[in-house]
Amino acid sequence: MILPPATLGMLGGGQLGRFFVSAAHEMGYKVWVLDPDANSPAGLIADHHIVAAYDDYSALDELANGCAAVTTEFENVPASTLDYLVKFVPVHPSASAVAVCQNRVAEKTFLADNDLPHGPFAVIRHDENLRDADEALFPAVLKVARFGYDGKGQARVANRDEALHAFHQFGGESCVLEKMLKLDSEMSVVLARDEAGNVRCFPPGENSHRHGILDVTIMPARIEPVLAERAREVAQTIAERLDYVGTLGVEFFVCGGQLFVNEMAPRPHNSGHHTIDACVTSQYEQQVKALCGLPLGEPRAHSAAVMVNLLGELWYDADGNYREPDWSVLQAVPNLRVHLYAKHHARPGRKMGHFTVIGADASEVLATALQARAAIGIRDDAH
């Protein structure tokens, strides 16, 4: 076990890292953050912020020398960085697990090789792959294999010609062509797994998106219990097959009463933010516990919860002028907690914060959250 007041290392300085730092501090640990952004949200509250690139080996040496263990909040940290650090200090999750999750080709291949539920797909590396792709895959979504998230690096394509055009727009980067499924809903399971193989799953959350970015998470998800249990089983199997240690998020599509894995996130997940306010142990506390070899906490929800993301467009009026949102609107709502990330600059589509409403009655919690969402200015213009 790594016990307080040890120093932990975090690769990545975004809001997920910021919540990790807060959880670690409450548990008595110190945290060093490595992130190239001098204004990174996690770096602002860390005990030490190393402002450097993820492949700066002198900075990695400093991190390894100063920390008892290292984790990440950002799946696009190079796997080679994790491979380097593990020579000197414990690193969780492993480079091999992160490498699968950070590349859609590797991810889809992993799902297929392990007989885990996934939608029809084709790996696209050359124009010929698209010309040879099964016509039944269309309409589809073409996704770049690396660095695509929150709707970035994706294009909906109705046919082969549109797919070729999108592939060229992506610079011919390796892609995955995924058949567009008719969705009943979207959901996710966040879990924690320790080195001994113990797994603790949080209750599944139901997710809705705007413009490809998570908008609302409802917990518990409004699905049949048998489907919720199946989602937990699949997520646990993924963690076991990856020999994963840490907090893992698994996103699912629900189609015709069946589950299909959409993607895996080798870190805490946006849809797990509500665990801070609604569960006995948060996903960030679990990340600290798994990293340090502590017994995993109880993931049970003590309240129903609805989480709503606050994106950068809320910081601008109808004429495009910058202004702070009227937070008094949210602060007046009982059982609502606002979490702002202290990001340096607001821009449309950027996750700047979130709020969570909790309570005993799930339907009342949802109604309150949607009223607060509308009151702060989030429009249902498009999804």
Side-chain angles (χ1 to χ4, degrees):
M1 288 187 188
I2 299 170
L3 298 173
T7 298
L8 309 177
M10 169 57 71
L11 293 165
Q15 63 269 20
L16 304 179
R18 184 180 176 92
F19 285 125
F20 174 89
V21 174
S22 294
H25 279 168
E26 289 190 5
M27 296 168 68
Y29 295 94
K30 297 180 176 64
V31 184
W32 289 13
V33 167
L34 190 154
D35 188 283
D37 181 2
N39 296 303
S40 72
L44 292 175
I45 64 170
D47 297 278
H48 179 46
H49 182 191
I50 302 171
V51 182
Y54 299 119
D55 58 358
D56 182 328
Y57 288 95
S58 63
L60 296 178
D61 287 340
E62 181 184 353
L63 188 72
N65 289 333
C67 297
V70 174
T71 188
T72 178
E73 59 103 56
F74 181 52
E75 62 262 45
N76 289 326
V77 170
S80 58
T81 293
L82 304 179
D83 267 332
Y84 179 78
L85 285 170
V86 80
K87 298 174 184 176
F88 312 105
V89 65
V91 175
H92 298 300
S94 67
S96 59
V98 172
V100 170
C101 299
Q102 71 183 189
N103 184 300
R104 285 197 170 94
V105 172
E107 184 178 57
K108 295 296 181 186
T109 303
F110 167 85
L111 294 172
D113 289 347
N114 286 278
D115 295 320
L116 293 163
H118 60 281
F121 74 97
V123 176
I124 308 299
R125 302 187 193 279
H126 311 285
D127 286 8
E128 292 73 21
N129 299 137
L130 278 171
R131 296 192 181 99
D132 295 339
D134 189 339
E135 190 67 34
L137 283 173
F138 296 99
V141 181
L142 187 71
K143 301 179 179 180
V144 294
R146 290 293 309 273
F147 306 118
Y149 63 97
D150 287 344
K152 300 180 179 71
Q154 302 184 16
R156 295 189 178 195
V157 292
N159 52 49
R160 208 177 304 274
D161 288 341
E162 288 187 9
L164 281 164
H165 177 74
F167 183 57
H168 296 157
Q169 290 289 104
F170 292 151
E173 291 185 41
S174 293
C175 291
V176 170
L177 183 71
E178 300 179 14
K179 181 177 177 61
M180 193 176 296
L181 303 173
K182 186 176 182 180
L183 305 185
D184 300 332
S185 63
E186 297 182 57
M187 59 169 292
S188 54
V189 171
V190 177
L191 62 78
R193 184 175 185 270
D194 65 19
E195 285 190 271
N198 298 305
V199 176
R200 298 289 182 270
C201 289
F202 291 97
E206 177 184 338
N207 304 320
S208 59
H209 297 75
R210 288 180 75 244
H211 311 302
I213 303 172
L214 182 63
D215 178 21
V216 175
T217 295
I218 301 168
M219 187 286 298
R222 297 171 296 181
I223 57 174
E224 293 297 322
V226 65
L227 205 57
E229 182 57 32
R230 174 62 177 151
R232 283 190 287 263
E233 290 173 355
V234 171
Q236 182 167 336
T237 299
I238 288 171
E240 290 169 349
R241 300 285 170 83
L242 290 172
D243 196 18
Y244 192 89
V245 177
T247 298
L248 173 73
V250 181
E251 298 179 22
F252 294 90
F253 295 140
V254 182
C255 310
Q258 291 185 290
L259 286 175
F260 298 88
V261 177
N262 176 26
E263 59 187 35
M264 298 111 66
R267 50 167 173 77
H269 197 267
N270 190 171
S271 68
H273 282 341
H274 66 269
T275 63
I276 299 170
D277 302 310
C279 295
V280 175
T281 309
S282 78
Q283 62 171 345
Y284 304 100
E285 292 173 291
Q286 296 286 52
Q287 187 181 20
V288 175
K289 288 173 179 287
L291 178 64
C292 295
L294 305 178
L296 296 175
E298 170 61 55
R300 176 178 53 84
H302 54 69
S303 304
V306 173
M307 187 282 306
V308 177
N309 270 333
L310 301 169
L311 305 184
E313 51 264 35
L314 289 177
W315 274 252
Y316 296 88
D317 65 20
D319 297 321
N321 299 309
Y322 180 88
R323 52 100 173 103
E324 195 74 18
D326 182 5
W327 299 121
S328 66
V329 170
L330 297 182
Q331 296 293 353
V333 180
N335 297 326
L336 183 152
R337 287 192 63 192
V338 180
H339 300 267
L340 299 177
Y341 307 153
K343 291 190 175 179
H344 185 61
H345 177 70
R347 63 175 179 267
R350 191 180 196 192
K351 295 173 181 175
M352 300 295 293
H354 74 270
F355 71 79
T356 302
V357 178
I358 63 172
D361 186 299
S363 59
E364 289 181 6
V365 168
L366 178 58
T368 299
L370 294 181
Q371 289 168 4
R373 177 180 174 275
I376 199 64
I378 300 174
R379 302 188 307 275
D380 285 317
D381 49 358
H383 287 265

